[in-house]
Amino acid sequence: MRTKVFAANWKMNKTRKEAKSFLEALKKSKFEGREIIVLPSFLSLADAVKACKDTQIRIGAQNMHFADAGAFTGEVSPLMLKDIGVTHVLIGHSERRHLFKEDNALIQKKVASAISHGFHVIFCVGETLDEREQGKTRIVVREQMEALRGLKDAEQLMIAYEPVWAIGTGKTATPEQAEEVHSYIRMLIAQLFSKSAAEHIRILYGGSVTPENIAGLLAKESIDGALVGGASLDVKSFTKIAKA
Ligand code: PGA
């Protein structure tokens, strides 16, 4: 049985004060048999780690540089994240790929670095609307998944399938559309790692997840949770999703 996991991707939202009050409220709920991850901005990470010590809430960064240190103005290194007690890192989010031009080669370096530093990695893949309409969804997802080839250990890995056309648009993939890609990703994991890795690795769905549509998605065999953007900014709606 794969434990369901729910991650709140706040993106560039919430001041430290807002982050603190969200986490205080979230801590009051019990999420039995579920894994909860919150991904605040870099500036709120240290406070968030402290606030969630001895709770079931894990704290992750939304991005990371691959190098331990160096002349990389404006970047944050794995050592800095480790130093403050961060345990999870999101890598390859479509906004990083499309708005900040991160390519598969760079993302591959980041994943390898994060895994070697012992982080749990939520690795994002997904096609644009154009790519879907041209029938290229599988090709794109397969190319993105190639970034995982050669990793020694798949233990610390989760995959998030986020169709770019569904992110922040209010358009969700139907449970059937999502399941089709999730089971394809599971097959790719078996090829890249092993059959047992394919059985254990959680694949989250992301893209306009709400309290209303989550149950239909979770009912599918290969959907093991959600990476939630917009609906994770409100503690009540994120709590409803994570308890669905
Ligand atoms: P959304 O974002 O839920 O606002 O569509 C999801 C994500 O980008 O992680």
Side-chain angles (χ1 to χ4, degrees), residues 22 26 31 48 59 105 110-111 144 152 164 168-169 182 207 224 229:
F22 180 105
L26 188 68
F31 301 91
I59 301 298
K110 292 188 178 201
V111 178
Q144 293 169 335
K152 270 191 231 82
V164 180
T169 56
H182 279 230
D224 305 314

Side-chain angles (χ1 to χ4, degrees), residues 29-42:
S29 292
K30 288 259 172 310
F31 301 91
E32 274 184 44
R34 304 242 149 152
E35 214 172 294
I36 308 295
I37 305 163
V38 177
L39 308 158
S41 84
F42 284 126

Side-chain angles (χ1 to χ4, degrees), residues 7 9 11 90 93-95 124 162 166-171 206-210 227-232:
N9 177 15
K11 310 189 178 184
L90 185 68
H93 188 276
S94 76
E95 285 147 19
C124 305
E162 299 206 306
I167 297 179
T169 56
K171 277 191 218 160
S208 299
V209 170
T210 63
L227 178 55
V228 190
S232 78

